[in-house]
Amino acid sequence: MSKQVTETASAAHDGAERRAGGSGYGQFCAVARALELLGERWTLLIVRELLLGATTFTDICRGLPRIPRATLSARLRVLRSADIVAIVDGKYQLTTTGTALFPVLRELAHWATRADGAALAGDHLDTAALTWDMRRRVDQAALPERTVVLALEFTDRAPDDRNFWLHLSRTSVDLCREDTGAPVDVWLTGPTAEVTRWWLGELSWPQLLGLPAVEVHGDRTLQRQMNRWFLRYVFTADAVD
């Protein structure tokens, strides 16, 4: 039996077992039926990653650095059995049914920006997830003609979680956790919470730079441009209104 046939059979079995084994809600309500497929931990975040352009297992892991690999495999099997995710030419992609979940995620984000219980807290801060989101939300057309290296230093983090480098050009965007030795053009340093709040749209760029713990230094022309290089978080308050 081929690997693809085996995985498909396993995915169908996972879905049937979950519904028959008592983990379903046993209700006709459409909300309950949707949650039987999408309500498990990590599932909607996997959909989010695919909506934002992830196509490989590794891409998804980069966007969800805390997800166990076995959990990701299991969730992808269920999503495939539900015809939400498909594998095309060896890459994961959302089906039409999966793509239709974008407004659902947008509305969840809209609700979270207004609910006190979902406010940003310390345990939500993750430099790996933040910098990966920054990497995929670069407006490459706004970049200078030459490659630019932007160094990010999160001053409140441990040494192994403090420094990241974005190599930005109009043809490629790379995120590095190790210094490649390439000359740095601009440095952005500050606490994780403040940089995250700017990324989420809770702080404007001038407000971020006005904070005493935040500094930008390097090429002055590039400093003035760099705010325009980023499209920022896809579900900012402005974007979801």
Side-chain angles (χ1 to χ4, degrees):
M1 184 179 291
S2 71
K3 180 179 179 182
Q4 184 169 356
V5 171
T6 301
E7 288 182 350
T8 301
S10 178
H13 178 267
D14 287 348
E17 184 178 48
R18 192 179 67 257
R19 290 188 293 271
S23 60
Y25 294 101
Q27 293 198 351
F28 66 85
C29 172
V31 174
R33 287 184 279 126
L35 287 175
E36 286 183 354
L37 291 174
L38 301 169
E40 289 189 283
R41 181 175 172 84
W42 297 108
T43 299
L44 278 177
L45 294 182
I46 294 168
V47 173
R48 180 201 69 189
E49 291 304 300
L50 294 168
L51 281 167
L52 293 178
T55 59
T56 68
F57 194 92
T58 299
D59 284 346
I60 300 171
C61 286
R62 292 290 298 270
L64 301 172
R66 301 186 189 187
I67 190 171
R69 295 177 72 87
T71 299
L72 176 54
S73 294
R75 298 294 185 270
L76 284 169
R77 287 199 302 269
V78 171
L79 290 169
R80 289 179 62 199
S81 73
D83 193 35
I84 294 170
V85 172
I87 296 179
V88 178
D89 296 329
K91 296 185 177 181
Y92 292 104
Q93 68 177 39
L94 293 170
T95 63
T96 301
T97 301
T99 304
L101 287 168
F102 182 83
V104 176
L105 295 181
R106 182 182 59 211
E107 289 305 314
L108 277 173
H110 187 276
W111 174 83
T113 61
R114 289 158 173 75
D116 291 341
L120 185 70
D123 59 354
H124 298 142
L125 302 176
D126 187 321
T127 56
L130 172 62
T131 53
W132 184 253
D133 202 39
M134 293 176 71
R135 173 204 172 274
R136 66 186 171 198
R137 296 286 294 164
V138 172
D139 182 0
Q140 289 178 260
L143 293 169
E145 293 185 2
R146 67 175 181 87
T147 298
V148 174
V149 178
L150 168 62
L152 303 166
E153 181 181 359
F154 298 98
T155 53
D156 57 326
R157 310 302 277 196
D160 62 349
D161 193 36
R162 178 184 295 260
N163 297 105
F164 297 79
W165 291 262
L166 281 165
H167 295 245
L168 310 170
S169 78
R170 294 184 180 181
T171 57
S172 65
V173 177
D174 295 310
L175 172 66
C176 301
R177 298 200 65 159
E178 301 291 337
D179 188 353
T180 65
V184 173
D185 297 287
V186 187
W187 287 260
L188 170 62
T189 66
T192 311
E194 280 68 15
V195 178
T196 302
R197 289 177 61 207
W198 162 69
W199 188 251
L200 292 173
E202 296 179 10
L203 293 175
S204 68
W205 183 247
Q207 287 173 326
L208 176 68
L209 297 188
L211 297 173
V214 175
E215 294 183 5
V216 176
H217 51 99
D219 185 292
R220 291 188 178 276
T221 299
L222 295 178
Q223 286 184 50
R224 291 191 292 269
Q225 297 174 1
M226 63 181 292
N227 182 45
R228 299 193 294 272
W229 299 343
F230 296 98
L231 301 170
R232 287 201 292 172
Y233 177 58
V234 70
F235 298 123
T236 60
D238 290 342
V240 298
D241 280 339

